[in-house]
Amino acid sequence: APSPSGQPKSGGTLVVALPGDITRTDPALIDDSNSSYVMTQVMEGLVALKPGTTSEIVPALAESWTISPDGKTYTFKLRQGVKFHDGTDFNADAVKFNYDRWKNFPRALQDYSYYAGAVFGGYGDTSNIASVDAVDPYTVTITLKRPNSSFLLAQTLIVFAISSPTALKTGKADNTETDVTKIPYAQGGPPAMVGTGPFKFKEWVPGDHVTVERNPDYWNKDARPYLDAIVFRPVAEEAQRLNGLASRELDFAQTVAPVDVATIRKNADLQVIDRGESCNIAQISMNHKYTPVNNKTIREAIAYAVNKQYLIDTFYAGLAVPADNWMPLNTLYAKPLHLPTYDPEKAKQLIAQSGVTDLTIDFYYPSDVTRPYMPDPKGIFEAITSDLEAVGFKIVPHTETWRPDYLDHEYAGNYEMWLLGWTCDWAGPDNFLKTAFFGYVDGKPSTEFAYKNDELDKTMNDALAATDEATAKSLWEKAQDLIRADMPTVPLVNSKPPAAARADVKGFVGSGNLTEYFNTVWLDR
């Protein structure tokens, strides 16, 4: 029976549809949102994001921290009396064991640990981590070689969750085994995913489901879960997610197609979940080694030619806003850049002004995927193509499968123009402007965009190394102005990807970057 007072009830199993399966059961060796979604229920790092926010840092396994004046040394005071799911003690030695492991990943595992390399600037001697020291059983210091103003925010990523050292050793995840397929800790165990969180890992049946169960001994008594268990199922087809909710086979869908929102709203047994502010961007990407997109005036013309509002109304069910920057405007230090808005006549004038006569462009989209920022790649591609052809461009259409072809080929610089976007890992300017788009790789413009702007690269590096707020802000604002002056790609929209659930699922708090915690969720049945 429904809860008469609306008070949370304990018990029950929640069935959650994910767009795909998890990849591995070791948080340090993942880079996909399906795996991190599951692990967020089980694992914890030193710090976390406040539920519903994309940049508000709260204590997790560290109860407090201080940063040295030079911005290089972080001292964490750890919680006492916390145990891992295997019953072993959480302490400073466990933290050091995990950070040392990430820093020293052997070459064969570096391909699977994108974030350890990206956030720490490399591995071994090239890592920005100088040392990790257990000062006493409940104090850890992490010392960096260079200050990095987004270091703490990046530590909220689930890939930096602290695993039980005992489990890591038993599961061959202590860097002794370099073949990822032979590491039990990464392949479902035993053991696997042994953390300190409100739920414990139970089993992974690849292609079918992952089950996590309530941790009755969770250290935070006020945040112990109501649910007995959660079963995560990979459901690739959007129609199947909708049908599963309607037929009660599913309780919750992590993402649903925006075009299905109206149908869901009409069904009293279902609810649409709004994730608040966007933490993503879709864009028309361009590689500057190709003509005519290497011409700045042509890129401005493309920006004026595209009707973003039409895309929002048609493909996003209105759950998006036109992008006015290369990151959402709620991101730290972001400011409106007054990017071109829909004006086909202005686009034609710019084309005439450019002196470019060959307006042929090879344009690509992925054929077998949806992304939170790109719910219908083919439809969006066709609408943009039609806008561009209306002002005089000759578009040659191409499509390839998402993995591995599309992502590998665009990254290698094989595409002239293509649709892609980014969902934030953390809501900092560096995660969009530098990590996602225009940061140099090994001191050179990326093969992906071939966009050379030495002043921009230096400005972003200086902004990250800034040790005071005012300097960081002014440098990030300068970086945005430098990008706007060049219009290297064309931002399209910032979307708010909807989730959906049965009406009796209560207590869920959505977040724009999909860092969502299920310990507050209960079933009113």
Side-chain angles (χ1 to χ4, degrees), residues 113 222 232 272 324 353 404 442 466 480 503 517:
S113 63
D222 298 332
F232 295 93
V272 174
D324 192 33
Q353 217 176 297
D442 298 329
Q480 291 167 74
Y517 309 94

Side-chain angles (χ1 to χ4, degrees), residues 140-159:
V140 170
T141 58
I142 299 176
T143 306
L144 308 179
K145 295 174 188 168
R146 299 175 302 283
N148 177 339
S149 56
S150 71
F151 174 77
L152 201 59
L153 189 53
Q155 299 319 291
T156 64
L157 288 176
I158 204 65
V159 295

Side-chain angles (χ1 to χ4, degrees), residues 362-369 377-378 381 396-402 405-406 409 415 417:
D362 285 291
F363 188 16
Y364 294 76
Y365 70 94
S367 59
D368 60 337
V369 76
K378 183 170 192 244
F381 172 88
V396 183
H398 301 271
T399 187
E400 291 197 305
T401 54
W402 179 247
D405 300 352
Y406 193 81
H409 292 167
Y415 294 173
M417 192 163 91

Side-chain angles (χ1 to χ4, degrees), residues 250-377:
L250 301 172
D251 298 306
F252 185 96
Q254 184 224 49
T255 39
V256 290
V259 292
D260 290 334
V261 165
T263 309
I264 297 165
R265 286 208 170 112
K266 283 185 205 136
N267 186 333
D269 292 332
L270 304 181
Q271 57 177 317
V272 174
I273 288 166
D274 177 9
R275 289 200 157 99
E277 292 185 305
S278 173
C279 203
N280 70 28
I281 186 162
Q283 73 165 7
I284 302 174
S285 300
M286 301 171 191
N287 186 300
H288 292 207
K289 72 181 182 190
Y290 297 95
T291 56
V293 298
N294 61 353
N295 182 303
K296 188 205 151 194
T297 310
I298 288 292
R299 296 194 297 273
E300 290 271 345
I302 290 171
Y304 278 108
V306 177
N307 187 342
K308 296 177 186 179
Q309 195 56 51
Y310 174 82
L311 299 178
I312 290 167
D313 297 341
T314 310
F315 303 105
Y316 296 84
L319 296 169
V321 294
D324 192 33
N325 197 314
W326 280 261
M327 55 184 161
L329 293 180
N330 53 295
T331 311
L332 188 67
Y333 307 136
K335 62 177 190 174
L337 294 179
H338 312 294
L339 297 181
T341 52
Y342 183 49
D343 187 342
E345 289 313 309
K346 175 84 172 159
K348 289 176 187 169
Q349 284 166 20
L350 286 166
I351 291 170
Q353 217 176 297
S354 73
V356 174
T357 50
D358 185 354
L359 296 172
T360 309
I361 298 177
D362 285 291
F363 188 16
Y364 294 76
Y365 70 94
S367 59
D368 60 337
V369 76
T370 62
R371 303 304 292 149
Y373 51 78
M374 190 166 62
D376 180 355

Side-chain angles (χ1 to χ4, degrees), residues 478-494:
K478 178 185 172 186
Q480 291 167 74
D481 291 336
L482 288 167
I483 297 171
R484 171 62 191 101
D486 274 351
M487 200 78 202
T489 62
V490 175
L492 294 170
V493 304
N494 306 118

Side-chain angles (χ1 to χ4, degrees), residues 408-483:
D408 283 359
H409 292 167
E410 65 85 16
Y411 192 76
N414 300 353
Y415 294 173
E416 177 176 2
M417 192 163 91
W418 67 101
L419 282 180
L420 201 59
W422 185 259
T423 298
C424 73
D425 300 312
W426 59 88
D430 58 312
N431 192 243
F432 284 97
L433 307 185
K434 192 170 155 57
T435 316
F437 299 138
F438 310 124
Y440 279 13
V441 179
D442 298 329
K444 297 189 292 290
S446 71
T447 51
E448 188 177 12
F449 300 103
Y451 169 45
K452 184 172 166 54
N453 188 330
D454 295 345
E455 189 183 2
L456 171 65
D457 191 63
K458 182 183 187 313
T459 303
M460 292 195 292
N461 289 333
D462 289 349
L464 266 185
T467 53
D468 70 285
E469 197 80 14
T471 308
K473 182 176 189 287
S474 79
L475 286 166
W476 281 119
E477 288 181 349
K478 178 185 172 186
Q480 291 167 74
D481 291 336
L482 288 167
I483 297 171

